[in-house]
Amino acid sequence: MKLPTGIPNPNNKVCKLQKSLYGLKQASRQWFAKLHNELLLQGFKQSKNDYSLFIQTTNSSLTIVAVYVDDIILTGNDHTIITQLKHHLHKVFSIKDLGRLHYFLGIEVSYVPQGIILTQHKYTKELLQASGLNDFKAAVTPLPQNMKLSSTEGTLITDPLYYRSMVGKLNFLTNTRPDLAYSVHHLSQFMQQPRDTHLQALHHTLGYVAHTSGQGILMNGADKLILQAFCDSDWASCPDSRKSVSGYILQLGKSPISWKSKKQATVSRSSAEAEYKAMANAAAEVTWMVRLLTDLGFPIHEPVTLHCDNQSAIYIAKNPVFHERTKHIAIDCHFTREKVMEGLIQLTYLPTSSQIADIFTKILPSHQFNKLLTNLGAISAKIVGGVKNTTTYTNEHVP
């Protein structure tokens, strides 16, 4: 590091860096390495399935530390251990104790008798203000039903930066709004050259967000929490590439904990193949989630039920015989079959009318959309109450 201008330096000396400073490329890495070492010294173990997660288990206690840069969530069932860890972190890093968890990375946490509600009401309000629109037309679904946008239809808009910015903001909103996952995925395909038709669809989505701004997800407890997954696909739905859309959601009990809507990488030659690929994506997420829950002291001993509404895809996954008509399916898609044979996953047929993953693959009629949204775990929330032994911290300075 060179000496600042104005300081005499006849011998061309340089500065030796004693600690990492904000603005340096290595600052964040050095900060995390320091925090990592301190937590290990306190008896925590870093999760191999999520490197930002640290866990300490004893015969009678479980303490969990979740880290995002210099923001930390600390929770557990032993208040003494939590207090000791807070004092140690304050001594080493000079932390600020923000008390019970109410706000973290734009996500608002509310507490009701039924459980914990996660929303982004404040972020939604800021997003709508940034849109520059004064009048939002009411919409009952995120996008008009049966609408299929194309990359070539319509006139190029003069300000593509606005479109990209708003879609990016909506993407962050999907952290607590699974009902927006498909629409944001669909709109994000036209970031390179957005057209007026895409902008109209974006305004429709903003109208839906404006009239559902208090919506979030409910995380409720139960005596026996069962992990289950739902997967679905919309075959050849893209009018430009004829690629299919995959969607899945994982629920722990009745609480949604992971979901995704994504266009498939290759063209599927049949609806069964498209469903099979969606099933493989869900199976991979289930595999990771089982390992993560085991780290958290919640091992899954029974096969995870994966619900699918396509009988042919279920038959392909269950049958170990490599049929002639399935040779064209990529080898990695047979990952599902391996997990079925290992006993990690069991496949179950579910009628399309009850398939909640359908909401991640297409725009549904309003009555079906609202029905699946309720079964999914979405809820309209108000900010209330507090919770015991859950704490948020933010670091005042990085060492």
Side-chain angles (χ1 to χ4, degrees):
M1 179 178 175
K2 295 181 179 179
L3 290 176
T5 304
I7 297 180
N9 188 19
N11 299 321
N12 196 27
K13 294 182 178 180
V14 296
C15 297
K16 180 180 179 182
L17 188 65
Q18 299 292 340
K19 65 178 182 179
S20 297
L21 304 173
Y22 279 118
L24 298 182
K25 292 181 179 180
Q26 67 270 37
S28 58
R29 183 178 182 88
Q30 293 298 323
W31 148 248
F32 186 79
K34 176 68 174 178
L35 177 62
H36 172 269
N37 292 335
E38 289 298 329
L39 290 174
L40 293 185
L41 290 175
Q42 295 301 307
F44 284 82
K45 293 184 179 179
Q46 186 179 28
S47 171
K48 300 301 181 183
N49 300 294
D50 188 337
Y51 288 164
S52 63
L53 196 64
F54 296 84
I55 304 164
Q56 182 192 66
T57 56
T58 64
N59 295 332
S60 59
S61 68
L62 171 66
T63 308
I64 301 171
V65 177
V67 180
Y68 184 86
V69 192
D70 59 352
D71 294 319
I72 303 173
I73 296 179
L74 172 62
T75 187
N77 58 2
D78 191 323
H79 186 71
T80 302
I81 295 179
I82 292 176
T83 302
Q84 291 174 352
L85 181 59
K86 286 193 296 184
H87 290 161
H88 178 76
L89 292 178
H90 182 70
K91 180 180 179 180
V92 177
F93 300 114
S94 183
I95 64 170
K96 181 187 293 183
D97 186 350
L98 300 180
R100 294 174 177 174
L101 180 62
H102 290 289
Y103 190 82
F104 187 74
L105 301 178
I107 298 177
E108 299 160 36
V109 183
S110 312
Y111 306 98
V112 294
Q114 296 85 356
I116 300 175
I117 299 176
L118 305 180
T119 60
Q120 291 173 273
H121 187 271
K122 180 177 180 292
Y123 177 81
T124 301
K125 184 178 179 180
E126 295 172 351
L127 184 153
L128 295 173
Q129 290 176 346
S131 70
L133 301 177
N134 297 321
D135 183 26
F136 296 95
K137 295 183 179 179
V140 294
T141 56
L143 287 175
Q145 187 182 353
N146 299 323
M147 186 196 70
K148 299 292 183 181
L149 297 175
S150 172
S151 60
T152 57
E153 294 181 359
T155 306
L156 292 174
I157 62 176
T158 57
D159 185 15
L161 183 62
Y162 169 81
Y163 181 88
R164 295 164 186 162
S165 174
M166 295 310 301
V167 173
K169 292 177 184 294
L170 285 171
N171 186 51
F172 184 71
L173 193 56
T174 59
N175 287 325
T176 59
R177 296 288 300 270
D179 54 319
L180 295 174
Y182 172 75
S183 57
V184 172
H185 147 262
H186 197 44
L187 293 172
S188 64
Q189 298 177 49
F190 312 104
M191 302 279 267
Q192 184 175 2
Q193 291 184 321
R195 299 175 180 269
D196 56 353
T197 53
H198 310 147
L199 186 60
Q200 292 172 11
L202 172 63
H203 288 166
H204 186 282
T205 302
L206 290 174
Y208 171 78
V209 171
H211 289 82
T212 57
S213 59
Q215 189 166 295
I217 55 176
L218 174 64
M219 314 295 289
N220 52 5
D223 294 335
K224 185 177 182 182
L225 294 176
I226 299 176
L227 180 65
Q228 58 180 338
F230 301 80
C231 67
D232 195 20
S233 72
D234 189 13
W235 180 45
S237 60
C238 179
D240 298 322
S241 64
R242 285 305 171 189
K243 292 181 180 179
S244 307
V245 174
S246 296
Y248 67 76
I249 180 170
L250 273 61
Q251 286 186 325
L252 187 60
K254 294 296 182 181
S255 305
I257 57 174
S258 179
W259 55 84
K260 177 175 282 190
S261 176
K262 184 179 181 180
K263 183 189 288 187
Q264 295 180 359
T266 57
V267 177
S268 298
R269 296 173 59 184
S270 65
S271 59
E273 181 181 348
E275 294 279 357
Y276 192 40
K277 291 177 180 178
M279 193 184 296
N281 293 335
E285 186 71 7
V286 167
T287 303
W288 175 78
M289 188 60 67
V290 167
R291 295 200 303 263
L292 183 61
L293 290 174
T294 301
D295 284 347
L296 293 173
F298 184 72
I300 305 295
H301 299 294
E302 300 177 358
V304 177
T305 301
L306 177 56
H307 301 277
C308 178
D309 60 3
N310 188 286
Q311 295 276 23
S312 297
I314 294 176
Y315 180 75
I316 293 173
K318 286 184 176 181
N319 193 341
V321 179
F322 197 69
H323 290 293
E324 181 71 24
R325 60 181 182 178
T326 63
K327 285 184 177 180
H328 62 281
I329 300 178
I331 297 298
D332 59 343
C333 288
H334 293 292
F335 174 80
T336 306
R337 181 183 298 170
E338 293 181 1
K339 297 306 174 183
V340 171
M341 297 179 68
E342 289 175 7
L344 178 67
I345 292 174
Q346 62 178 8
L347 301 175
T348 303
Y349 175 75
L350 187 70
T352 302
S353 59
S354 302
Q355 176 58 273
I356 62 176
D358 206 22
I359 206 172
F360 300 99
T361 61
K362 61 181 74 70
I363 294 299
L364 303 170
S366 59
H367 65 279
Q368 178 69 0
F369 178 80
N370 291 327
K371 173 188 173 183
L372 296 182
L373 198 58
T374 301
N375 295 337
L376 186 147
I379 189 172
S380 183
K382 294 182 179 180
I383 305 301
V384 294
V387 70
K388 183 179 181 181
N389 283 353
T390 304
T391 310
T392 307
Y393 300 102
T394 181
N395 194 65
E396 292 183 337
H397 64 271
V398 175

